[in-house]
Amino acid sequence: MHQLTIAEIVRGLRDRQFSSVEITSHLLERIQQLDGQYNSFITVTGDQALKEAAAADARLAEGNAHALCGVPIAHKDIFCTNGVRTSCGSKMLDNFVPPYDATVVDNFQQAGAVSLGKTNMDEFAMGSSNESSFYGPVKNPWDVQRVPGGSSGGSAAAVAARLVPGTTASDTGGSIRQPAALTGTTGLKPTYGRVSRWGMIAFASSLDQGGPITRTAEDAALMLSVMASSDKKDSTCLDRPAQDYTANLNDSIQGLKIGVPKEYFGEGLDSEIGARVQEALKEYEKLGAELVEISLPHTHLAVPAYYVIAPAEASANLSRFDGVRYGYRCENPADLRDLYMRSRGEGFGEEVKRRILVGSYALSAGYYDAYYNKAQQVRRLIKQDFVDAFSKVDVIMGPTAPNPAFKLGEKNADPVAMYLEDIYTIATNLAGLPGMSLPCGFAHNLPVGLQITGNYLDEARMLNVAHQFQQASDWHQKSAPTAE
């Protein structure tokens, strides 16, 4: 039962092959037995999940339930959940129990989905390996000595381990697509503003975007159809009605123009990963698509620009966690200054402190123009690169990550090497474009991800392109050896 995709669960529930209580119980038992080796969950809400499943079964019996009614999912611990701890992977919020639901969570509740709990993540979504969580690192189900990628590594590992068929996640610089690539799952980062950020704890507000991690593009379309809605509580959320992203999955891609950036296949890319991506591109040619070499000339500036803009926004967003207004408070402070300094010093981990310091420096008097303002100018150039490219092609493809999953602790002493793991994903966030990663083979016996970047609000075409590849290949059906 745990090998079923979301689409298969939907059909099974409608055909009365099993009930929501039965599949929810099966997955909860599996989490209890197996998650000790992955650490993919921070909080499991078993009793609440069974109540939601029983309610879903009642709605299904009435015959007019939503498509996702009764389907078990899990939420990244960055989304606020009413009455359930929302830690954001940090000691700072270890005891935070929100009195409200994020809009994304509320959308899934309205659809009748069943939440199994909250998945592990890098602290405040800062990291490319899922090793910075206060609750310990997440392990990759393909090799538990290796990282699953970050910051949505808990969500990706839970799907790869077949503990849950789909999860919510968030992507600031590649945090949905990179862990999806490293765990052999399918992850989708929508256009900025397509999914409400209300109730999603902010890291870098102009870059953060929620999205799903699933096993297939069809499942991602099912989840995005629930997640994507207009929201008056989020002024950055686009005023677009909900859309059925499954409607065009079976459209032909004959004549599709695929842009292949020459900058994505140079120095730094693992040769086996490059070979698997090229093989996937050839498969698209067999399906009738045309490959067009393009150039994104400012690609090399994406990582430096990102690591000025994102920490600058993080330093502002995280200023509220001071032991007075929000978050952890130190014990027995000597005075107000001691309260502020020790609360933040004890509550935040090393990676969060590093980014707050970088961001504060970039925004400080005398350095704003030299760093932050310059980074925003570079961001505009990167965005223009994509505008020019999409005047010639329909989608852009390349590798999601330059390397396969690396070993736990391997890059902890070198933050720059860690940051470069997002080198192919960051530009998409700076431009606000949608992107996704899907399995396209193996390198060094570990999963490889193919990245698809779409034009603004073109998620339907992107999902159609991914679904057609998955109809012609079986990489997305491969199961991690520890997850059988």
Side-chain angles (χ1 to χ4, degrees):
M1 195 176 284
H2 54 270
Q3 294 288 359
L4 297 175
T5 65
I6 290 176
E8 290 167 341
I9 292 172
V10 167
R11 289 192 287 272
L13 289 170
R14 302 281 166 164
D15 295 341
R16 303 292 189 269
Q17 297 174 16
F18 47 80
S19 69
S20 179
V21 169
E22 287 174 325
I23 191 166
T24 298
S25 300
H26 174 78
L27 293 176
L28 287 172
E29 183 177 344
R30 190 170 166 80
I31 292 169
Q32 184 177 22
Q33 290 178 346
L34 299 176
D35 197 45
Q37 63 180 320
Y38 308 125
N39 196 30
S40 67
F41 276 83
I42 292 176
T43 303
V44 179
T45 52
D47 292 341
Q48 180 176 317
L50 289 172
K51 289 179 183 176
E52 292 175 359
D57 282 334
R59 291 170 64 176
L60 286 163
E62 294 172 359
N64 60 351
H66 187 279
L68 288 193
C69 187
V71 175
I73 62 167
H75 293 292
K76 184 177 180 178
D77 210 23
I78 200 169
F79 292 99
C80 288
T81 41
N82 187 4
V84 177
R85 178 176 60 171
T86 301
S87 72
C88 216
S90 178
K91 179 180 179 181
M92 183 62 78
L93 289 175
D94 181 48
N95 63 355
F96 176 50
V97 179
Y100 59 90
D101 285 318
T103 295
V104 164
V105 174
D106 185 54
N107 284 352
F108 278 108
Q109 286 187 335
Q110 295 299 321
V114 175
S115 173
L116 303 184
K118 309 295 288 293
T119 56
N120 205 347
M121 56 178 286
D122 276 316
E123 185 180 10
F124 283 102
M126 298 180 193
S128 302
S129 65
N130 222 128
E131 295 175 282
S132 72
S133 170
F134 174 62
Y135 304 94
V138 178
K139 317 290 178 57
N140 192 323
W142 289 90
D143 179 349
V144 293
Q145 302 299 316
R146 295 177 183 272
V147 304
S151 67
S152 304
S155 293
V159 174
R162 307 295 190 254
L163 303 181
V164 63
T167 62
T168 59
S170 68
D171 192 316
T172 303
S175 290
I176 289 176
R177 290 159 288 157
Q178 189 247 19
L182 269 53
T183 60
T185 54
T186 299
L188 190 155
K189 178 245 170 218
T191 304
Y192 180 78
R194 189 64 191 91
V195 171
S196 172
R197 293 187 301 111
W198 194 83
M200 190 176 88
I201 296 172
F203 161 19
S205 302
S206 75
L207 301 163
D208 298 338
Q209 185 60 193
I213 293 180
T214 58
R215 287 172 53 194
T216 68
E218 182 181 19
D219 286 2
L222 284 165
M223 287 191 70
L224 185 62
S225 298
V226 173
M227 295 179 78
S229 64
S230 60
D231 185 6
K232 292 182 179 178
K233 291 181 287 190
D234 176 5
S235 61
T236 65
C237 188
L238 299 172
D239 186 18
R240 299 278 180 134
Q243 182 176 344
D244 179 6
Y245 288 100
T246 66
N248 301 105
L249 289 178
N250 292 314
D251 288 356
S252 169
I253 60 170
Q254 188 75 35
L256 179 84
K257 290 188 176 181
I258 298 174
V260 183
K262 59 184 181 181
E263 291 83 2
Y264 284 18
F265 292 88
E267 185 181 356
L269 176 64
D270 180 275
S271 59
E272 284 199 35
I273 288 181
R276 298 296 89 74
V277 172
Q278 292 290 357
E279 289 164 8
L281 294 173
K282 290 177 182 174
E283 187 64 40
Y284 272 107
E285 282 190 306
K286 293 178 185 174
L287 294 172
E290 176 188 354
L291 303 185
V292 180
E293 183 180 87
I294 61 170
S295 177
L296 300 173
H298 297 97
T299 295
H300 65 291
L301 298 176
V303 171
Y306 175 86
Y307 279 100
V308 172
I309 294 170
E313 294 186 13
S315 70
N317 277 325
L318 271 59
S319 65
R320 74 191 73 173
F321 302 110
D322 56 9
V324 176
R325 288 173 293 179
Y326 296 99
Y328 168 86
R329 175 177 292 187
C330 69
E331 294 185 356
N332 304 316
D335 51 30
L336 186 59
R337 181 182 175 83
D338 186 48
L339 168 64
Y340 284 140
M341 292 187 67
R342 281 208 290 124
S343 293
R344 287 170 67 80
E346 295 170 11
F348 287 134
E350 293 304 310
E351 182 60 29
V352 173
K353 290 177 190 173
R354 180 182 296 119
R355 299 198 192 195
I356 288 174
L357 287 172
V358 169
S360 300
Y361 183 80
L363 291 176
S364 61
Y367 297 101
Y368 179 91
D369 285 339
Y371 294 106
Y372 184 75
N373 199 28
K374 183 66 70 176
Q376 291 289 15
Q377 291 171 341
V378 170
R379 182 179 191 172
R380 184 168 182 173
L381 293 175
I382 291 170
K383 182 177 180 179
Q384 189 60 47
D385 285 351
F386 283 107
V387 170
D388 294 342
F390 281 116
S391 67
K392 305 169 187 168
V393 300
D394 300 310
V395 294
I396 296 171
M397 290 190 189
T400 306
N403 299 298
F406 45 93
K407 290 191 174 180
L408 290 157
E410 183 178 330
K411 300 192 177 186
N412 285 351
D414 189 348
V416 175
M418 185 80 81
Y419 297 162
L420 289 173
E421 291 300 312
D422 292 332
I423 191 169
Y424 302 126
T425 55
I426 279 175
T428 304
N429 297 74
L430 291 171
L433 291 162
M436 64 185 299
S437 178
L438 58 156
C440 70
F442 291 85
H444 313 288
N445 296 318
L446 293 166
V448 174
L450 171 70
Q451 181 174 220
I452 305 173
T453 302
N455 207 342
Y456 296 99
L457 293 170
D458 207 11
E459 286 86 355
R461 189 207 298 262
M462 206 168 59
L463 285 160
N464 163 232
V465 170
H467 181 69
Q468 290 306 301
F469 179 79
Q470 294 186 336
Q471 295 303 294
S473 65
D474 63 354
W475 302 117
H476 60 292
Q477 296 175 350
K478 305 294 184 185
S479 185
T482 62
E484 294 293 340

